[in-house]
Amino acid sequence: MVDRLRDQGIRDEKVLEAMGRVPRERFVDEGLGYSAFDDTPLPIGYQQTISQPFVVARMIEILRAGRELGKTLEVGAGCGYQAAVLAQLASEVYAVERIRPLLEKAKENLRPLRLPNLRLKYADGMLGLAEVAPFDTIIVAAAAREVPVELKQQLAPGGRLLLPLGVAEQRLVLIERNGNLFKESRYDGVRFVPLLGGVE
Ligand code: SAH
């Protein structure tokens, strides 16, 4: 998988290393295990999907450019795969999920990996995680119609937020905080499940 990611243009060796350390097959339903290393999104139940390896690697590469991830919030933990990759690179990771059975599944998937710097929370991530904010990095794994204000507000000085933005047409958008200025840069077109409010 790492060789393919390299061929697809991922250049950050630290990201490639982290991707190589996390066994993706652990996060995919049995019976689908054979395709765990294919580069496609796969179902994880509750109409949600595990992100494809290239997209996980690409998002983390964009966020890392020239700096460490630091204290990181992931919105949309799903089955926990991307959270495990983030935990290889960030000092602390808080991953939130709004569907409780998925969160339980993520906990189960992640337990054997023993990642002491990763915490999972059952919460509506559109609101961020006020009790732990500010964050150096925020990564959103579901597509928002617009940038949630709380997430911007919970960025530390110099912090970065990366999220898929849009409905039918989605694009990765990076927001960098400098004081109270927020600089936006647009990246690749993507396809994510929608970011929804509230918890289930
Ligand atoms: N990060 C996962 C991908 C999960 S798919 C991976 O590594 O594969 C996106 C997830 O975002 C879904 O599980 C969905 O339930 C969750 N989600 C959507 N809106 C959310 C919100 N407001 N707060 C928290 N999680 C949310």
Side-chain angles (χ1 to χ4, degrees):
M1 180 175 79
V2 169
D3 288 339
R4 187 168 51 203
L5 291 172
R6 201 177 268 117
D7 290 345
Q8 286 172 312
I10 302 298
R11 291 282 167 267
D12 186 330
E13 284 299 324
K14 286 248 169 82
V15 173
L16 291 167
E17 235 173 72
M19 297 291 297
R21 279 203 296 267
V22 178
R24 191 170 191 255
E25 72 279 6
R26 265 183 199 281
F27 295 86
V28 173
D29 284 336
E30 270 173 53
L32 286 176
Y34 64 90
S35 54
F37 294 97
D38 290 356
D39 204 28
T40 55
L42 296 171
I44 53 174
Y46 310 91
Q47 298 174 342
Q48 306 302 326
T49 53
I50 177 171
S51 304
Q52 71 197 82
F54 174 71
V55 176
V56 171
R58 178 77 182 126
M59 287 180 82
I60 301 175
E61 182 173 70
I62 292 171
L63 282 164
R64 255 179 56 83
R67 74 203 259 285
E68 295 298 323
L69 295 178
K71 187 159 114 186
T72 298
L73 172 68
E74 181 196 27
V75 176
C79 62
Y81 174 65
Q82 177 166 264
V85 179
L86 287 166
Q88 312 291 320
L89 296 162
S91 53
E92 291 168 73
V93 179
Y94 296 83
V96 303
E97 174 54 54
R98 66 181 288 281
I99 300 179
R100 195 185 278 280
L102 269 183
L103 186 80
E104 295 305 323
K105 203 168 175 182
K107 280 194 180 150
E108 225 173 88
N109 291 340
L110 288 162
R111 199 168 295 126
L113 299 184
R114 295 170 173 277
L115 301 165
N117 60 337
L118 169 60
R119 291 209 163 59
L120 295 171
K121 304 255 180 197
Y122 175 55
D124 175 4
M126 272 222 227
L127 305 174
L129 204 55
E131 68 267 31
V132 186
F135 297 98
D136 303 304
T137 299
I138 301 178
I139 184 166
V140 183
R145 284 166 182 271
E146 44 196 65
V147 184
V149 202
E150 282 83 357
L151 295 185
K152 278 166 84 168
Q153 283 168 346
Q154 291 180 22
L155 281 177
R160 291 178 181 170
L161 157 66
L162 183 63
L163 78 172
L165 207 59
V167 184
E169 299 249 315
Q170 303 172 5
R171 196 160 273 289
L172 289 178
V173 173
L174 177 72
I175 295 171
E176 294 171 89
R177 177 170 203 167
N178 186 350
N180 273 326
L181 292 179
F182 296 89
K183 181 180 150 210
E184 283 194 22
S185 322
R186 295 158 70 80
Y187 288 86
D188 327 16
V190 282
R191 185 109 205 103
F192 277 84
V193 296
L195 183 72
L196 303 172
V199 290
E200 280 180 28

